[in-house]
Amino acid sequence: MSKFTKAIVPIVVAGLAFTLTACSGAASGSTTKDASGPLTVWVMGDSSKNFEKLVAPFVKSTGQKVDVVAIPWDSIDQKLTTSVASGSGPDVVQIGLTKLRSFADAGALLPLDDKISAYPNLAAAKFADGVGGKATAVNGKIVSVPWVSDTRVLFTRTDILSAAGIDSPPSTWDQLRSDAKTLAQRGPDKYGYYIPQWDNALPVEMTWDFGGSIVDKKGNIDFNTDAFHKAVDLYTGLYSDKSVPVNGDFDQVHGFVSGAAPMLVSGPYLAAAINAAAPNLAGKWTVSTLPEADKGTSLFAGSNLGIFKTSKHQNGSLKLLDFISKSSTQLEWYKINGELPTVKAALNDPSFTSDPLVKVYTKQLADAKVLPLIPNWDGGVGANLLKALNSIALQHSDPKSTLDTFYQSTAGMSAK
């Protein structure tokens, strides 16, 4: 699936909550000898070769071999279930925030509260300031450490917009819809905007931007609000305007590079993909914060790293997490994989802040939220949300009855 402007003074991101509580004394289990053999790391998607490059200095300095295994994003649920049942999971695992609750509730992750004090790079003060413990802890126990930040911004082919008489990227959702309709009139197989049919966060971001929430005052999931209804009108309206492709296998990188879809919302990792695929487009595209309605709130969707409870390399795994949390390591990851740091020193480093794209990412991160950390968001609420919206947009199902069915599927679901 496919992934901050002056010196960054602490970035306070709503939901970017990195409360790694430091404990006194030696780390529990630090005298326990690890088993021999390589340390296994699961990384999501197609970034395994880049991760091997990232940890090569760690392997060289420690002598600890690291086996990196790429796990497709759509296979993680099955891998989690199988590994918990067999007790044969990896040592370290990348965890998207929407999966953190599922991993923790399954008992897959090693609690880290009494272990991280011996590893200086894992101290709470090292990471970006935040609110609460939603992004690292579940039920009050630290079960992961921050790895990469991720937010969504608007990517725009400025050359194509200019040729269509559009002077700048749209600053409001109404303007985006109008511009997308204009751009879609360029000819066959030309569109104005791209909606990933797998992106269950986009309609939530739209809801936030219309001033709403998907969690009520009692802490329950609730989509049946005026703001969500406006988001549905926007989401499905882009389809009814014929401004977006309807084929589910449309590739966002190819679509953006070819100009077929000159506007889309994605993460900073897309910038690296565009530069790699089409360096000749330099100067012909840009990024900007999300269009606004009442607000311009985006998604914070970073990834954490956790240690499997059954790991026989707990000390080695902690050392690896400590290495990955070094400022220099995080900056290297941004360089080779396009994903944003979580460590303050990296966020403030001149080599990072001098990147013109970083200013946009920083501004957007200041107005970004995490999705509710409920079990199986992607396979449950998120999947049902997309099923309903795509049914309306692609199959022309009755909006009211389709949404009523969706509301019933989330009735009484706690987001606490």
Side-chain angles (χ1 to χ4, degrees):
M1 184 183 302
S2 306
K3 307 153 258 350
F4 218 74
T5 273
K6 299 176 183 176
I8 301 176
V9 291
I11 299 172
V12 180
V13 181
L16 178 52
F18 300 138
T19 56
L20 297 176
T21 306
C23 307
S24 62
S28 173
S30 60
T31 59
T32 302
K33 186 177 181 180
D34 282 357
S36 60
L39 189 157
T40 302
V41 180
W42 283 0
V43 296
M44 302 300 112
D46 56 2
S47 59
S48 58
K49 290 188 180 298
N50 283 346
F51 193 86
E52 289 173 353
K53 179 179 178 181
L54 182 75
V55 301
F58 172 82
V59 174
K60 183 176 180 179
S61 65
T62 64
Q64 172 63 65
K65 293 183 179 180
V66 177
D67 283 349
V68 183
V69 180
I71 305 295
W73 285 103
D74 58 2
S75 299
I76 189 59
D77 290 328
Q78 179 182 356
K79 295 290 290 186
L80 171 62
T81 301
T82 302
S83 296
V84 170
S86 65
S88 59
D91 297 296
V92 174
V93 60
Q94 178 184 355
I95 312 162
L97 287 184
T98 59
K99 298 293 185 183
L100 182 59
R101 185 64 181 262
S102 296
F103 272 78
D105 286 354
L109 301 176
L110 180 72
L112 303 176
D113 303 74
D114 61 347
K115 299 182 183 298
I116 59 178
S117 62
Y119 301 90
N121 292 316
L122 302 183
K126 299 284 187 178
F127 294 91
D129 297 328
V131 181
K134 293 182 178 179
T136 58
V138 175
N139 295 326
K141 293 183 178 180
I142 299 169
V143 291
S144 61
V145 299
W147 181 23
V148 294
S149 301
D150 183 16
T151 191
R152 299 292 184 262
V153 294
L154 178 66
F155 286 74
T156 307
R157 282 287 302 271
T158 50
D159 58 335
I160 294 177
L161 268 67
S162 178
I166 302 170
D167 295 333
S168 60
S171 59
T172 69
W173 282 108
D174 283 346
Q175 185 182 352
L176 181 142
R177 182 172 176 182
S178 177
D179 289 349
K181 194 170 184 178
T182 297
L183 291 163
Q185 295 171 356
R186 291 174 295 150
D189 299 321
K190 301 294 184 183
Y191 307 95
Y193 184 70
Y194 167 56
I195 293 179
Q197 294 174 19
W198 43 260
D199 186 5
N200 56 53
L202 180 61
V204 178
E205 291 168 304
M206 291 175 172
T207 303
W208 291 337
D209 290 348
F210 281 109
S213 175
I214 61 168
V215 180
D216 65 20
K217 293 180 179 179
K218 295 181 180 179
N220 295 323
I221 296 294
D222 182 13
F223 280 88
N224 192 3
T225 65
D226 288 342
F228 178 68
H229 299 154
K230 292 177 181 178
V232 172
D233 288 344
L234 171 62
Y235 187 99
T236 59
L238 286 159
Y239 279 100
S240 62
D241 293 343
K242 301 187 185 303
S243 295
V244 296
V246 297
N247 48 314
D249 61 351
F250 188 90
D251 182 80
Q252 63 177 351
V253 176
H254 177 74
F256 191 79
V257 168
S258 70
M263 295 192 296
L264 57 88
V265 168
S266 190
Y269 49 83
L270 181 61
I274 295 169
N275 285 329
N280 59 299
L281 286 183
K284 298 180 180 180
W285 61 277
T286 190
V287 299
S288 55
T289 55
L290 283 198
E292 297 184 3
D294 297 337
K295 300 179 180 180
T297 303
S298 186
L299 174 73
F300 174 74
S303 288
N304 294 352
L305 293 173
I307 300 175
F308 248 67
K309 200 170 185 177
T310 55
S311 170
K312 296 180 180 179
H313 298 89
Q314 292 184 12
N315 295 322
S317 296
L318 285 162
K319 291 177 182 177
L320 179 62
L321 297 191
D322 191 68
F323 169 80
I324 287 173
S325 299
K326 293 171 61 176
S327 175
S328 58
T329 310
Q330 296 230 323
L331 289 170
E332 179 66 13
W333 189 242
Y334 176 68
K335 178 181 176 181
I336 65 176
N337 213 59
E339 293 183 297
L340 306 178
T342 57
V343 173
K344 286 180 181 178
L347 295 171
N348 286 290
D349 191 282
S351 69
F352 182 69
T353 58
S354 63
D355 185 334
L357 300 183
V358 163
K359 294 183 179 181
V360 178
Y361 303 149
T362 303
K363 185 176 180 180
Q364 189 63 78
L365 279 168
D367 188 5
K369 296 168 62 174
V370 296
L371 293 170
L373 294 187
I374 63 174
N376 194 27
W377 167 273
D378 290 325
V381 173
N384 289 335
L385 170 61
L386 289 180
K387 180 180 179 181
L389 293 181
N390 289 335
S391 177
I392 296 169
L394 301 172
Q395 301 168 18
H396 310 294
S397 300
D398 176 65
K400 185 179 185 307
S401 60
T402 301
L403 291 176
D404 283 345
T405 299
F406 170 61
Y407 299 148
Q408 292 171 12
S409 72
T410 63
M413 183 175 294
S414 175
K416 294 181 180 179

